[in-house]
Amino acid sequence: MDRRNFLKLLGISSGTALISSCGVDKANEKIIPYVIPPEEDIFVGNPAYFTTTCTECPANCGMQVTANEKVYHDVRNIFPTKLEGIAGHPVNDGALCMRGQASLFRLYHPDRIKRPMMRDGDGNFRVTTWKEAYAKIIVELAAATGEGKRNMYFSGRTTGTMSGLTDDFCKEMSVERLPEFEVFSHANLKKANDIVFNRPEIPHYRIENADFLLTVGADVVETFMNPVASANHIQKAKDKNNLSWYHIEPAVSLTGVQASKRFAIKLHSEVYLLAFLLQSLSQQNSLKKSLPARISRLIPDYSITVIAERTGLSEENLRLLLSRFANAKTPLIIAGGVSTAQENGLETAVFAALLQWATGMTDNTVDFDHAENYGSVGSMLDVRKLEDSLKNKQVGVLFISRTDPVTYLPEAEQFVELMKNTRLRVALSDFMTSTVQECDIVLPLSHSLEAWGDAAPRKGIRNVIQPAIEPQYDTRSEGDILLQIMAQKSGAASAQFYNDYLIDKWHSLYGEGETVGMLERGYREEPVPSLPAILSGDGTEAFLKNAGFVVESSDKPVLVITPSIRAYDGRSKVLPLMSEIPDPLTTITYGEWISVSDKTAKKMGWKDRDEVAVELNGVSLKFPVKVQHLLPENIYMVQRDLIYPQATPVDSRSGEESWYVKDISVNATGNHIPMPIMSGSMHEDNRGLLPPEEEEHPYEHKEEHPVGRMYAPHEHDNYRWGMAIDMDSCIGCSACVAACYVENNLAITGKKAHLNGREMSWIRLEPWVKDDETINYDLMLCQQCDDAPCEPVCPVYATYHSKEGLNTQVYNRCVGTRYCSNNCPYKVRRFNWFDFRLPEPWDKMYNPEVSVRTRGIMEKCTFCIQRIRHAKDKAKDENRLVQDGEITTACAQTCPTNAITFGNLMDKNSRVSKLAHSNRAYRALEELGTEPAVHYLPKKESKEEA
Amino acid sequence: MNEQFVFGEKHEFLQKLKDLVKGGISPKKINVFTPYPVHEVEEILKVPTSPLRFFTLLGALSGLFFGAWFTAWTSLDWPLIGGGKPIVSVPAFVIVTFELTILFGGVISFLGFLILSKLPSPKRIGTPVEHGNQFVIEIQSEGK
Amino acid sequence: MKSIEYNEQLERDVLAALSKPSPWYWVALVVCALLFVTGLSLWLYQILKGMGVSGLNNPVGWGTYITDFVFWVGIAHSGTLISAILFLFRAKFRNAFNRSAEAMTVFAVMTAGLFPLIHLGRTWFFYWLFPYPNQRGLWVNFKSPLVWDVFAVSTYFTISLIFWYTGLVPDIAIVRRYATGFRKKIYSIFSLGWTGSLRQWWHYNRLYVFLAAFATPLVISVHSVVSWDFAMSIIPGWHTTIFAPYFVAGAIFSGTGMVITLVVPMRKIFRLEKLITINHFEKIAQTLLFTSLIVTYSYIVEFGLAFYGHHQFEAAHFTYRLLGDYQVLYWIMLFGNSLLPLTLFVRKLRRSIVYLFIVSIFVNIGMWLERFVIIVTSLAKDFDPYAWGLYKPSVVEIGITLGSFGMFFMFFLIFVKVLPVLSVTEIKEEAAHE
Amino acid sequence: MSKLQLNTFTLGIVAVIILGIIIGLEYIFPHGSGGTLLLTLTFWIALVQGTVAVAAAGDATNSKWIGPLKKELLAFHPLILFMAFLFLFLGLKMDVFPWFENQNRWLNTPFFLTRNFVLLVISYFLARFYAKATLRNSPNKGNLAVLYLFFFVFSESLVAFDWVMSLEYPWVSTLFGGIFFMESFYAGLAIAALIAAYYVKNGIEDQTVMTKVLRDTATFTFGFSLAWAGLFYSQFLVIWYGNLPEETSYLVRRMHYSPYDILFYLSIFLLFIAPFVGLISKRAKVIPNWVRMIALVVLAGVFIERILFILPDASMNVFSAILETVLMGFLLLLFFVNRERVMGYAGTERSDR
């Protein structure tokens, strides 16, 4: 069933431009592969664009797929080569995070399961047919029911039509559908909202409407709910209502250092802070809604000094917070992440909710009507229930779909054992995860870029999932599988295809026309009944009565588990690009590490790469040390994808697990582990990469020395391409880096190369510790200097300066002297030490418009010259100049906060020139007189905030 | 038949040479062979300075002009901007020009030497003339 | 003693070296040849695998290969110094060394010339570095110091070769006289049928003067160009005006060191004590001392001025050189290049061959390290701290370096067996003057 | 000439008087006096130290060519002491230096004065010891020569870095010192050539010897014109190519702004082109008048270049500049005329060649 026929079914002639692209119907023709005609060298046509949805994480951003037509193994076909956010999409508005950018690596991953498999007598997997597999399943289901056992359907988060289908399936086949399993279940938030508002949901936080944002532990720009959207909205709020954003956290996170102000708070003491805020605000009656007495009297009341002592925040900071809340028109507080995933995380969440309500929560900041679609997601309690029923051998057939409990659950071995107590274990998965290893039948799933479907990230939004490429292997979508099983059971000749099922649903829901519109846009916003959240006095009172403020913060070492921006909960680890791109906070690429406070490190005499052994309840885990500034003493951090906290307490009330591992001991093993830390030093010491500080200007003699040039600057005619990077908007999410890798066919060089300092990134994020208070970033890429030191030294003119101010690199002219790279003060040139090629079938994703570099040549950023070329050709056809905003580079395109502005500096009215000439602007290492075309706007000092 | 005088010692040889010149034999008729350069000979026989210097001058100048022209011309042939430097960057081109001056000068001087002193001479390579460490004066007899 | 006898004796003494080689000679030759071959095969391996087999990496794009290049070019220089400059200065002691020094020059330049090719990412396109008409319509970039190198080094090689050969012609004629059979033929051909006639000497002398006059500025220009490979860039530690004279002095310094290293054993083995006397060595030792002082002066100036103004990058760089990751190399270098040679102020030490030999070894090591330290430390930590990184040579690089020594000594060993190691004619002329 | 014959004491007196006059001038014409004083200092120190250096170099490399002129060259060595004292008065003019306002560890008035003064005095005494030794032809003349050259190099480098380069603070060029002591030597050679020419012209001393000396000095002057070009170019090219604002500023001010640009190209002509072209031919090297002219051109070149170094940063007083130059010239002449006595004072009996 290919697109064309499907569109016919929709009643649309394939002629109509479905998606705003000229190439689309050509592309449709090409979906069926055919052997190529003789002239195989001409194949770069215009790319085709499809709208679909990113399924890399539960956020479900809207994606526009760029599919290029090219010849692969002598077969001409179209291949998705780039993913970009759909502009104006209610979730991500054009942007995409690094994981989304990299998800093509999942589509073409060589380790995908390529055909259905079944375990034979001697316990080995053997390839089987779908029919056979289905038959076995049907038989076993019947048998199990016969034995009076319960069949269970255990899956990852499922939304949209698929959710409904699953219910149908479960009803049809008499299977229990279990609450879905997500590591980041946010159970405490749901529970808290249930207590305070009788709404067991996670609201949609409308940050864009806030003028003051207080995030408590919630890593809003990393993994919390939808980081892309949050980042995007924070920027909107900054522009619209000059948002000031404070972050409170017990450890240190990228989100924290990106906030305009960050407070390190003692472990577990968030609840005291929130309580204090509530009390003091109500006392100075600056609350928008005053809490009912029966509640407020239950809120502990401490003097500011006590709170200061408990939380570790200075008194003036506390006052600052108070005044912020008091003066803010639409304040917003978001608790989550490490602050709610802990012993008294529920209390924290409840107080946060109360504070939201009391400080005038309205639907335009905390929106329950468009709540995030987490209703069907269960918690650890549900998992425990499953384990119990497995213990009591009550389970017959266990379906495990799109989730990997064995990897993510505590006591994995135990769960594996329990699983054995079932008749049959059916896995629906794309990879051979540890869970799949334990199953009897493996049903390979198609990637969402190979399948039809839809998703509902939150109430009121329906995202389209449509294929951009034929399934590459004998895989099927979950929908098809369920339908086929049902059909085979009912003995129907041929099963309905999931996409027919979808059409029926869509038609019945929206009607035909609207369906087409949805396909064009890639999403549909549907009205939802408004139902304001009302404070539930009883629930809250009841909770507060026996709420425990028991857990005191202690000075013993504590291991804090943090989510990873690169791997999410670990699911994105399979994407090689996620290990290739440095972790923004530590600049580590490959391998694991433990973050140690610089103070602790100094005390213990540890340095980066020293190995330490962490003893936690019997287990001993070894990690190399990474010294982490800003991290409070005695707090150690390991990312969630590296270890699972063995047996950390689970809150019996909510089912949230704690991410703090207590009574651990950490000792050096004396070993020294090579670890690829990309950053040579975290200290910038006024070298001119960050803006020079007013008080001690390093180039004070500038004025007494007229800036001299030995020769006149050269001419630009129509264009001088330039860039302005606003480091105040930048949130360090590294999406730009990923975008650059995919757009420009950058090599994945691997750990060994990284240890030898041979990474290939053209654009990198450089963290600088500023006097131990904060970490400032700069984004380093080729500065396209007008007087580029790299150019004149090339003996063969392999690099030279284009009339448009681009510092171009002629790959096939380069002989590889590496002189240019030596002479580049920004060190942004990259040399091909070997033939770094993506192994098959990853090479399918190569962008045909950018040459793949061979060994022995230099490469570098050229402002996505291929995109410039396209725009200029277009402009030339319409004989006009390229308009401002007509082109943008891959990095700028995907930036959630539009921190990167690309354009023509010759055009005085272009956005980039305006920014470049704003009085904030500075250029990196300006005193070298290289005349860069990249202008930076520094991060606004938090002083201005206070 | 040429007449030959052979000496073992330099001073005897020079003395004889002086006498011969005094004796009115025109230096043109006299040829001498010495195991190492003897500058006095040139004074006695009033040999002018070697014309080799003209080759050298020619070589050096040709190198100079070629270098200057070539560097400039190739740069203008396809003008590519590099590091904002002028297309014809004289300060940079000086070097190559200088090297070429020396290269041409040296090579052409050497060729000049071979031409002037009739080397290599196949005849002599075939049947080498050996005078050992002796000083030989050879006078072309009349008639020839 | 009658000069004619003296000359006969002299010829016998010098040509004795050309007699049948001892087994040890063959051993040495084979060892060198093996090293050479190993180096070549490692190079091939690198070409097939990619530059990645070296230790080079992101900040440090140049390392051992360029060090070797500069080192060998430097070695070459003293040859020209001794033969040309001292000739112009009419310094008498040169003719004890000039022949072997010139040979050294030729071989060293040959060796050096390989390294720019070895360090290319795409060696198979090395000819793109030469200006030749092509349908791409592209010429080389005459603004690039590397192109200057191409011209400087090839000119240097040509001129040195001519200079060497010119000096050899009369001596080959002498060998011709002694040689027999097949070898006689060869020598006859290379003697070009030299007769020692007035006409030949007449032009010969002029040519020699002119070549000397060309070689002198050439030798200075060549190493200035080499130094500008670094000085033209803007990297702290590279970009400094003193580099040209500093490198020239350094080159002559290292070259003189190498001359001593070569001549001391040669003199012993071929029993040339009569011809190469202590006084000669004292003179050469003085040259060593003198150049060492210039080099030291440059070190001091570089350092002083780095901390003179608030030149943040320079200051940071030189602190790093002194106390950073490569400090050990730096201190060894200082010892070999600046401290140890100072002892040559003592006349007794100047005149002790053994001591000189030891010093010369240290000088060779020190000068190699000097180039290494300059190249690597400057690249390892330049402007952007994020991009800082370290470099250490890989097995391949070390192997190729050893190979280059193998090549050099192989050629030298062949030279001492086929050509007179002293300029017989000049010694005769010299003797006649006294 | 014979009128100028004085005894040692009078000579000393005259020197002191001239010293006094020069200091006086600084006060009569206070405007731009600092620059003028610097000019006088930097130019004449180069000459007097240079002449001795040339002689010393002859002994250090025991090449015989300079022998016949040794005494003449060494006759100026007492003037090093003279310059040392003259230098002390720069202490009253420190405000010409931009770093005078905020002094640092290296650049501060007391240290500045002491280190330079001490170095000059040391080099004076070494010059003196060396002069004695070499005229007595004592065995350790070689070592003393080397020692003198050593200090010559260092004090001239400091002249470059302290007296001149620090006018452009914080601009640096590591080659500056090299250029200075090389130029000083160049100037010394020019003086030698002048004297040789004078002897040959007036048939003083053994003509064959002197002609040889003339040719050699001329040859070396020729050689040094190349050497100068080499050093100048080495500094220029590096700055030109690097194009770093804080480095180029120095050159830009001297190349792109009138009137300095004229001085700039003039100095190149006087110090490189003129002597190079003028002395390239073998014959020209033995024509006394011609050689003398070239020598004077070179000296003029050094003088012009000193102006070029100083003027953009420290204004000068034309009148006192001229007067001081004349006076110093006269002083040198005096010492040349009375070389026998000076040498006598240096403790040598009449040496006969």
Side-chain angles (χ1 to χ4, degrees), chain A residues 685 758 766 793 817-819, chain C residues 54 56 61 144 229 312 384:
Chain A
D685 8 283
R758 289 168 181 173
E766 301 181 334
V793 298
T817 65
R818 302 184 294 291
Y819 199 167
Chain C
S54 71
L56 297 168
S144 165
D229 287 347
Q312 184 189 12
D384 180 351

Side-chain angles (χ1 to χ4, degrees), chain A residues 759-770:
Chain A
E759 74 275 17
M760 290 302 255
S761 58
W762 287 359
I763 175 172
R764 60 177 190 252
L765 200 66
E766 301 181 334
W768 303 116
V769 176
K770 284 285 276 337

Side-chain angles (χ1 to χ4, degrees), chain A residues 680 685 687 756-759 764 766 792-795 812 814-819 822-823 827 833 855 927, chain C residues 47 51-52 54 56-58 61-62 119 121-122 128 141 144 229 233-235 310 312-313 382-386:
Chain A
D685 8 283
R687 283 170 168 259
N756 297 337
R758 289 168 181 173
E759 74 275 17
R764 60 177 190 252
E766 301 181 334
V793 298
C794 177
N812 28 11
C814 178
V815 293
T817 65
R818 302 184 294 291
Y819 199 167
N822 290 351
N823 207 13
K827 288 285 174 285
W833 301 99
R855 73 180 187 275
E927 82 285 5
Chain C
I47 290 174
M51 280 311 287
S54 71
L56 297 168
N57 57 28
N58 245 332
W62 288 354
H119 104 293
R122 300 205 292 177
W128 285 359
N141 176 5
S144 165
D229 287 347
S233 93
I234 60 172
I235 303 299
H310 20 306
Q312 184 189 12
F313 297 123
D382 66 350
F383 298 97
D384 180 351
Y386 183 96

Side-chain angles (χ1 to χ4, degrees), chain A residues 71 79 147 220 247 279-280 333 337 393 401 412 423 433 436 451 588 659 711 714 729 813 855 885 924 929:
Chain A
V71 173
F79 297 92
E147 288 177 4
V220 285
H247 186 80
Q279 279 296 1
S280 333
I333 172 169
K393 303 202 170 22
S401 169
R423 282 186 67 90
T433 62
V436 176
I588 294 169
W659 289 353
Y711 19 79
H714 58 78
S729 315
R813 179 64 174 172
R855 73 180 187 275

Side-chain angles (χ1 to χ4, degrees), chain A residues 462-478:
Chain A
R462 179 66 59 109
N463 283 356
V464 172
I465 297 177
Q466 51 182 335
I469 181 174
E470 286 274 302
Q472 304 163 89
Y473 312 109
D474 184 8
T475 60
R476 293 180 184 178
S477 73
E478 190 176 15

Side-chain angles (χ1 to χ4, degrees), chain B residues 99, chain C residues 64-81 101-117 146 148-157 160 218-230 244 247-259 364 367-368 371 375 404-405 408:
Chain B
E99 300 297 339
Chain C
T64 308
Y65 295 144
I66 299 297
T67 308
D68 293 338
F69 169 68
V70 183
F71 177 75
W72 283 117
V73 178
I75 295 300
H77 277 44
S78 70
T80 326
L81 168 92
E102 286 162 24
M104 195 183 80
T105 303
V106 173
F107 304 142
V109 178
M110 282 163 62
T111 319
L114 284 180
F115 279 98
L117 308 188
L146 294 182
W148 306 344
D149 263 341
V150 171
F151 278 78
V153 172
S154 40
T155 305
Y156 189 37
F157 178 68
S160 318
L218 175 63
V219 72
I220 291 163
S221 79
V222 169
H223 221 71
S224 306
V225 167
V226 170
S227 79
W228 290 333
D229 287 347
F230 310 107
F247 267 51
V248 173
I252 294 167
F253 178 56
S254 65
T256 317
M258 186 56 93
V259 171
N364 292 332
M367 282 311 289
W368 194 91
R371 278 65 172 261
I375 292 170
S404 72
F405 279 88
F408 176 78

Side-chain angles (χ1 to χ4, degrees), chain B residues 115-143:
Chain B
I115 293 160
L116 288 173
S117 49
K118 302 208 169 52
L119 290 173
S121 99
K123 176 150 153 282
R124 296 289 177 220
I125 290 173
T127 56
V129 180
E130 307 287 12
H131 296 289
N133 288 304
Q134 282 153 328
F135 300 84
V136 177
I137 306 178
E138 196 175 70
I139 306 171
Q140 294 165 354
S141 54
E142 309 302 318

